[in-house]
Amino acid sequence: MPIRVLSPELAAKIAAGEVVERPASVVKELVENSLDADAGSISVEIRGGGLELIRVVDDGEGIPPQEVEVAFQRFATSKIALAEHLDSITTLGFRGEALPSIAAVSNVVLLSRPPGEHGGTLVEVAGGKVVRTAPQGSPPGTSVTVRGLFRNVPARLKFLRSPAAEASRVQTMLHQFALAFPQVRFRLEIEGRTAFASPGGGDLREACSSVYGPRTARTLLEVAFSEEGTGSIDVRGLVSPPDLSRASRSYIHLMVNRRWIQSRTLTYALEEAYQGFLMERRHPLAVVHLTLPPGEVDVNVHPAKLEVRFHREREVFASLQRAVRSALVAHAPVPTVRSTTFTASGPTRAPASMMLQGLPSQPSLPLSAPGGDVKAASTPREVVPSLRVLGQVQSVYIVAEGPGGMYLVDQHAAHERVLYERVQEEMRERAPQVQALQYRYR
Ligand code: ADP
Ligand code: MG
């Protein structure tokens, strides 16, 4: 085939693939536009997993009548004008690609009215071309309705999952937004039913409550850390206490300047802070907002804008780790095992209760079950569950993990107990081993 320049329609379809991969990415772009328009309330409706219909309605600043058509042109944006602006982006969108990309792979109807205007304007775009523009009554704000998504891109349709699975991705997306923008009220309707709603009162814990339920939200620990001076980094959010963990990392939400991001480095920093607090293969639940001067973050890495680059990555990493670590330590100070307790001539056996200082949730002695009312001395074998030994401290204590938490076993006491029980058993069988005491006189 000879080299040819692609038709604008085909070029638009190819470019659209980078921005809109599935229904959830359409929702992401439309909600970001609503947020950039300063909306206080955003409602999303989807049908057929978003393939049949996606509608996003906001109460934001709207689009003036003369601009509604331009909004659908590629690289048309009201958010940046000069190359320098790229260095300090404060809006979620800036590439001017979302509306044209969505319109290239679906049928879009946009109805918008800036609060100052008397009426609204409707524009319909099909297959990337404007087919209708007309004045139309509208509440203040903007509504975008997307129908027949990917109908003209069969190759893309093949990669999508079931409507329920796509809907669940949309819901996860809305959760992210609610956690990133607690001051905005979100509502999601799936197949005619309200699937999610956030209060929009501005409180992060309340936003967490709408996503993860009030019980979980109540237990989360507050993180607050601010670096002084210019070029400051501010870390704020809620993280799970050590006794609340998850089997996957999908409960970790990181926001940089209100933008939800995916960052392996920062996720690692967060998990590092939990070292010693969580078991292997368990992960925290966390909603952490990082705020830093916009000039220090590069969001123009990929069209989906999920990745960012930091000018001072190491400092950001350290701030996040320190902030989370101090929240955890303040909640449950790490017990310090001082080697001075143990002398060279032989270990002094400090009472186990002393060793447990600093672990507020575990006041019980090593051989009794936490919370159990059975006396340790009477029937210990029934009380002590099977333990997983983690290690040994100064050849004096065995550190173990059981269903109730951490156990410190005084190994000398345990050994005496084993001998004692062996003797008792022999007594029951009436065949005790006898050993004569030997006295030597001289
Ligand atoms: P970008 O968000 O990168 O600027 P988009 O294609 O998403 O590009 O949108 C193009 C323009 O349309 C935006 O810059 C904005 O001016 C306008 N726009 C889109 N959606 C809305 C909305 N919900 N409210 C107000 N203006 C909007
Ligand atoms: Mg946009």
Side-chain angles (χ1 to χ4, degrees), residues 75-271:
F75 307 128
T77 179
S78 59
K79 297 168 193 176
I80 55 170
L82 305 166
E84 298 93 274
H85 295 166
L86 268 183
D87 299 333
S88 55
I89 299 219
T90 53
T91 51
L92 294 168
F94 57 89
R95 298 173 60 111
E97 283 182 309
L99 289 182
S101 299
I102 297 166
V105 292
S106 69
N107 178 297
V108 181
V109 174
L110 181 145
L111 176 61
S112 189
R113 175 186 153 201
E117 300 273 336
H118 287 300
T121 313
L122 178 143
V123 58
E124 183 176 345
V125 187
K129 290 205 177 78
V130 175
V131 294
R132 182 159 66 114
T133 310
Q136 173 141 335
S138 160
T142 304
S143 88
V144 180
T145 308
V146 176
R147 288 192 180 83
L149 182 65
F150 301 132
R151 205 176 281 161
N152 61 354
V153 200
R156 177 67 67 172
L157 277 180
K158 271 187 229 145
F159 284 97
L160 297 181
R161 305 268 194 85
S162 69
E166 293 300 330
S168 136
R169 283 176 188 250
V170 170
Q171 181 152 352
T172 305
M173 185 65 71
L174 262 285
H175 289 168
Q176 299 278 15
F177 278 120
L179 297 172
F181 293 83
Q183 74 279 24
V184 177
R185 195 147 44 106
F186 290 94
R187 214 179 83 82
L188 170 65
E189 201 182 291
I190 299 176
E191 317 295 342
R193 283 207 204 110
T194 303
F196 171 68
S198 74
D203 183 63
L204 184 60
R205 201 178 289 273
E206 276 179 20
C208 279
S209 177
S210 67
V211 175
Y212 291 119
R215 263 185 61 195
T216 299
R218 258 198 305 274
T219 64
L220 300 178
L221 310 177
E222 213 162 302
V223 174
F225 173 89
S226 230
E227 191 195 80
E228 304 284 306
T230 48
S232 64
I233 300 167
D234 185 88
V235 186
R236 231 153 267 274
L238 295 169
V239 299
S240 53
D243 55 358
L244 180 78
S245 65
R246 295 284 190 258
S248 89
R249 291 194 179 87
S250 45
Y251 300 82
I252 297 175
H253 309 272
L254 297 172
M255 265 70 70
V256 173
N257 293 348
R258 302 251 161 218
R259 183 189 300 278
W260 166 58
I261 57 142
Q262 284 174 341
S263 161
R264 286 174 70 146
T265 317
L266 290 190
T267 302
Y268 183 70
L270 177 88
E271 297 217 86

Side-chain angles (χ1 to χ4, degrees), residues 28-83:
K28 175 177 187 279
E29 292 296 333
L30 295 179
V31 171
E32 285 190 350
N33 280 347
S34 298
L35 289 165
D36 281 344
D38 255 340
S41 165
I42 300 171
S43 72
V44 179
E45 182 190 339
I46 61 166
R47 286 183 188 275
L51 295 179
E52 224 172 276
L53 175 126
I54 295 173
R55 179 177 287 136
V56 176
V57 182
D58 69 52
D59 61 353
E61 45 198 42
I63 308 174
Q66 66 278 12
E67 289 179 17
V68 286
E69 280 191 35
V70 189
F72 283 91
Q73 282 178 28
R74 190 131 191 251
F75 307 128
T77 179
S78 59
K79 297 168 193 176
I80 55 170
L82 305 166

